[in-house]
Amino acid sequence: MIEHLPVLLVVLPIVGGAIPLAASLVSDRAGWPVATLTLVGQTGLAGLLAWTVSSSGTVSYAVGGFAAPYGIELVVDGLSAAVALLVAVISLGVLAYARKAGPHSGPFYGLYLLLVAGLTGMTVTGDVFNLYVFLEITGLAAYGLVASGRDASAAVAALKYLIIGTVGASLYLLGVGYLLAATGTLNMADLATKLGEMAAYDSTLVLTAFGLMVGGLTVKVALFPLHTWQPDAYANAPDTVSAFISALVSTVSAYALARLLFSVFTVDFLTAVPVARWALVGLACVSIVAGSALAVSQDSVQRMLAYSSVSQFGLVVAGFAIATPLAVVGATVHLLGHAVMKGGLFAATGVIERKTGATTVNGYAGMGSRVPVSAFAFAVLSLAMVGVPPAVGFVGKWYIVLGAVNAENWPVVAVLLASTLLTLAYFARLVERLYFAEATIHSKPDEAPVTDGSGQAVSFGMIAVVVIAAALAVVLTAAVPTLEHVLRETLIPVLNQ
């Protein structure tokens, strides 16, 4: 039973997603209950899998009984178990938000569960081509969800996302082709073995494969200057979708990039080809600075949060590229923590907009007294993103900085410290508007459900999701020692080989 858990995590949301589509021919009411039951089961399976990995080590499953490297292998270690659990928990939490926020159609919930399946598949696969398949499933579902907004701008944003995302996926696929030509295999573990045996890290085929695959994934992660799809997608999608994709899509893509670095090319490649490491670190540092600078200049809160993601994922990629144990632990902690914090921030902006109509930094003036619960949660999440202790944002950044110091990578240390000041600049501006500026927009108290122009209510459940995200941004710090232990047992030995 245990060895079947990885495949069950992929199959369950696919099967569950088909039911709302079929039921929508009769009624849309079945969508949310079916999605909820599916994701409750998904969360239970992901939790069981994470516990199994933490207690017994890596779990693998050969799909169809065809053993690797000829068949497709699903592999779950400490890193992938943590990300799979994150996907399940956040998907369930955002679904609670969607109960009132909508959209409410059957096809929406079908796409929602399909996206969960794609993200989970990317997390557990041990095959580089199978990763491409799930990358495309994730992209197609995300494009459809972004386009589910009522305004024409949502459709335009989805089209832009589709075009740029397709370019990224195509680059990755081309890289897979070059890697297959160089090694004759697609299994990640087998690729790492053959690349090591060949000692051909500097061959044209391998270098081209690395550049194309990493380049394709950085489009999906939305590192600067490949981020242009992200602000429009986040700002124009329904608030449920913005919270969902901002928390998970780039997060799982960054995980896939880490998996490529450590399970396929390995640290030996980064050591043998230092220009590859420095190119990735350089791109990450540019993304950190540019994303923060663009966020500071934004008036729209959602676009500010989108550009903030460009900066924060630069931080994560820098940690993975440094590739010391401390840096990798820090990057993983920040990757997981950012998903919770950013999803909570977008959910909070949705609640505040529905209750007050405020969407800009100046529009948030005085909201601390007008919508105290939502504003307080937003402020806590903002400070967590800055890295104020004891929030999880502080722990992740601290580990990455320590890893960079241990590697004597002083330019990265300087960029990381500067990025914290820039992050403080744009989040402190918002907190100042919330609590120290006079309100300019009328709003009602958090406890009273109100309706926006479309007749959709702001419910207690929506506010509860925001509050829980703020609480998790603080209490997740307590789970860092356990995560570090699991990573050191299952992933980091690869770094020390």
Side-chain angles (χ1 to χ4, degrees):
M1 171 62 184
I2 295 298
E3 65 271 15
H4 290 83
L5 285 176
V7 73
L8 289 175
L9 280 175
V10 177
V11 171
L12 180 60
I14 292 176
V15 174
I19 297 175
L21 287 174
S24 66
L25 298 175
V26 179
S27 172
D28 283 332
R29 292 186 176 182
W32 190 85
V34 169
T36 300
L37 289 174
T38 301
L39 290 178
V40 167
Q42 184 84 353
T43 303
L45 290 175
L48 178 59
L49 183 59
W51 178 82
T52 301
V53 171
S54 66
S55 59
S56 304
T58 301
V59 175
S60 63
Y61 176 79
V63 178
F66 297 98
Y70 305 105
I72 296 173
E73 185 180 26
L74 305 181
V75 182
V76 181
D77 59 11
L79 178 58
S80 50
V83 175
L85 181 59
L86 177 80
V87 170
V89 170
I90 289 184
S91 299
L92 184 60
V94 175
L95 193 64
Y97 183 94
R99 180 69 180 91
K100 282 293 184 181
H104 301 293
S105 67
F108 169 80
Y109 291 111
L111 282 174
Y112 190 99
L113 291 175
L114 184 63
L115 181 53
V116 173
L119 293 169
T120 305
M122 288 177 63
T123 303
V124 301
T125 186
D127 182 284
V128 291
F129 180 77
N130 197 229
L131 176 59
Y132 165 76
V133 173
F134 285 119
L135 189 69
E136 284 286 61
I137 291 172
T138 296
L140 291 172
Y143 309 149
L145 289 175
V146 171
S148 64
R150 299 188 177 193
D151 297 331
S153 58
V156 174
L159 179 61
K160 185 176 182 179
Y161 186 7
L162 183 152
I163 293 171
I164 298 175
T166 300
V167 171
S170 299
L171 290 174
Y172 176 84
L173 181 60
L174 283 172
V176 170
Y178 277 104
L179 202 56
L180 177 63
T183 64
T185 185
L186 295 170
N187 180 269
M188 291 182 181
D190 198 39
L191 278 167
T193 300
K194 290 193 173 183
L195 286 172
E197 291 173 350
M198 293 166 56
Y201 293 128
D202 58 349
S203 76
T204 303
L205 280 176
V206 174
L207 291 176
T208 303
F210 178 84
L212 289 171
M213 295 172 78
V214 169
L217 288 176
T218 53
V219 173
K220 297 291 188 177
V221 175
L223 292 186
F224 183 91
L226 308 171
H227 67 288
T228 52
W229 61 268
Q230 191 177 72
D232 289 338
Y234 286 8
N236 293 300
D239 47 354
T240 297
V241 176
S242 295
F244 189 31
I245 64 174
S246 68
L248 293 179
V249 172
S250 290
T251 297
V252 176
S253 297
Y255 157 82
L257 179 58
R259 181 60 65 196
L260 205 65
L261 291 176
F262 302 135
S263 296
V264 177
F265 290 95
T266 73
V267 177
D268 290 339
F269 173 83
L270 297 177
T271 303
V273 189
V275 68
R277 184 201 298 268
W278 280 106
L280 195 53
V281 169
L283 180 62
C285 289
V286 169
S287 191
I288 292 169
V289 175
S292 296
L294 288 168
V296 169
S297 66
Q298 299 303 307
D299 186 48
S300 165
V301 175
Q302 289 189 328
R303 293 184 74 86
M304 185 204 78
L305 294 176
Y307 283 114
S308 168
S309 292
V310 175
S311 175
Q312 299 302 317
F313 280 112
L315 188 66
V316 170
V317 172
F320 286 137
I322 292 169
T324 62
L326 282 175
V328 171
V329 171
T332 304
V333 170
H334 199 61
L335 182 72
L336 303 179
H338 177 269
V340 173
M341 294 183 288
K342 192 54 62 71
L345 283 167
F346 270 100
T349 62
V351 171
I352 293 172
E353 180 180 358
R354 286 166 178 267
K355 294 176 73 63
T356 69
T359 60
T360 63
V361 174
N362 289 331
Y364 273 39
M367 292 298 107
S369 60
R370 301 285 183 146
V371 282
V373 177
S374 300
F376 179 74
F378 188 94
V380 170
L381 290 163
S382 297
L383 294 175
M385 285 292 299
V386 173
V388 175
V392 68
F394 166 77
V395 179
K397 291 181 179 181
W398 178 252
Y399 270 86
I400 295 172
V401 169
L402 288 180
V405 169
N406 287 348
E408 298 183 352
N409 202 325
W410 305 114
V412 174
V413 174
V415 169
L416 296 182
L417 295 177
S419 75
T420 299
L421 296 177
L422 288 170
T423 305
L424 176 62
Y426 55 82
F427 276 120
R429 181 174 59 142
L430 266 177
V431 175
E432 183 273 331
R433 301 303 292 170
L434 284 171
Y435 290 102
F436 301 103
E438 184 178 351
T440 57
I441 298 178
H442 176 70
S443 59
K444 300 182 181 181
D446 271 330
E447 292 74 16
V450 298
T451 58
D452 62 6
S454 63
Q456 294 176 321
V458 174
S459 68
F460 171 80
M462 293 171 65
I463 298 171
V465 168
V466 177
V467 172
I468 291 171
L472 286 175
V474 177
V475 302
L476 278 178
T477 302
V480 171
T482 301
L483 177 61
E484 181 179 1
H485 171 73
V486 174
L487 287 174
R488 288 187 180 277
E489 290 291 324
T490 62
L491 176 68
I492 290 180
V494 176
L495 276 63
N496 297 325
Q497 288 178 354

